[in-house]
Amino acid sequence: MTDPRASVGDGTRAVRAGLPDPVAYEPTLPGPVFAAHFHLPGEPTGPYTYGRDENPTWTHLERAISELEAPGRTVETVTFASGMAAISAVLFSQLKAGGTVVLPDDGYQALPLLRERLEAYGVTVRTAPTGGDAQLRVLDGARLLWIETPSNPGLDVCDVRRLVRAAHDAGALVAVDNTLATPLGQRPLELGADFSVASDTKGMTGHGDILLGHVTSGDPELVAGVRRWRKVVGAIPGPMEAWLAHRSLATLQLRVGRQCATALELARALEKHGAVTGLRYPGLPGDPSYPVASVQMRRFGSVVSFVLPDRDRAERFLGALRLVDDATSFGGVRSTAERRGRWGGDAVPEGFIRFSVGAEDPEDLIADVLRALDETAG
């Protein structure tokens, strides 16, 4: 029987995802369940036994994310205390000493930290850039291919379908970090990936007040390994965070729709400004990522990146902004920007700006950005 929710629009799905069947006089979204243990007479055959294993609040959230990740398909989601916990769960549940993994060399800043741990445990790590599907060249003998597209912070895009076909032909699993796109922008499982992974700290929850992550897969055996890893290391989300995340999903389509539309407008405005070089946004027709992104992405994300002449100009620009916070996250309803080079680890120029577009009125935000650019000229 076809699930009627599979054919509804993104907004309808987002506001109703994961809700339990209605019960008279009960809330539509039950409140968070705070419990370390549950009543457990006799044999432990019920769904909830101990707070590190399962929680009803997680269940509602995980069902909601599954509906967003793969409408109409049978998939499972496992939630985590952070995006890094979700990433680690896939890597460490699927790799062992003597195995090989392929990572992007231009991905999330913490990936090199994971590389150190993997190599210390006897795993061979190969890296290649996201752009140009360069990871294809180092797939031979790999157990797992890790894709991040669009990449953070450079916004390069690779052809997920092409890489999945090649990886599967080579006997490798494929995980896609979909943090920047969210399931409303891109659905990795529909593109053939084995895992869709995200830091829900970013666009999924969108308010900059929750740390959370998830892993979704359609393979029960793979999910079991990820779930077992969560149990062993205890990387579980708090019930309050899970409840807040589920509540936040209701506005996902509204937030992402506004943010992506404004991001494109901002990118078009920045194209015309003489101080800006190296502008990247996958939704710009002239962007190197556009030909692939326009085929596999439904929305292009809230992040725009560009380069100002030097470190000093970048710092003065950030200081002149009035509607934008200087912060290191992205995907939130309040716009943020940062000089990414301040952290080290990313191969970017000193004047590189990663700009996360929020839900402000586009004319106000763009005016603020252009004013700050002009005021800090010279």
Side-chain angles (χ1 to χ4, degrees), residues 201 205-211 241 244 247-248 334:
T201 308
T205 58
H207 291 78
D209 54 9
I210 302 170
L211 289 175
E241 286 78 2
L244 286 170
R247 181 208 61 175
S248 298
R334 288 174 288 278

Side-chain angles (χ1 to χ4, degrees), residues 124-192:
T124 298
V125 180
R126 301 181 192 139
T127 63
T130 298
D133 299 342
Q135 289 173 296
L136 286 172
R137 297 194 292 268
V138 291
L139 271 179
D140 188 44
R143 160 67 178 169
L144 177 67
L145 167 64
W146 188 272
I147 296 171
E148 185 179 309
T149 181
S151 62
N152 171 30
L155 302 183
D156 275 322
V157 168
C158 60
D159 186 333
V160 176
R161 290 185 182 89
R162 183 186 181 200
L163 267 70
V164 164
R165 286 194 299 269
H168 286 173
D169 287 345
L173 298 170
V174 179
V176 177
D177 184 334
N178 200 43
T179 300
L180 198 145
T182 80
L184 268 60
Q186 180 172 260
R187 294 194 177 121
L189 300 183
E190 292 183 355
L191 300 174

Side-chain angles (χ1 to χ4, degrees), residues 274-300:
V276 171
T277 60
L279 176 67
R280 297 298 306 271
Y281 184 66
L284 276 177
D287 189 276
S289 293
Y290 182 79
V292 175
S294 62
V295 173
Q296 71 187 21
M297 299 184 73
R298 302 163 63 237
R299 295 175 176 88
F300 299 105

Side-chain angles (χ1 to χ4, degrees), residues 257-270 279-281 284 300-304 355-358 362 365-366:
R258 164 64 76 89
Q259 290 168 282
C260 292
T262 304
L264 180 57
E265 287 190 48
L266 175 62
R268 286 171 173 160
L270 290 171
L279 176 67
R280 297 298 306 271
Y281 184 66
L284 276 177
F300 299 105
S302 63
V303 178
V304 178
F355 196 108
S356 173
V357 175
L365 181 64
I366 293 169

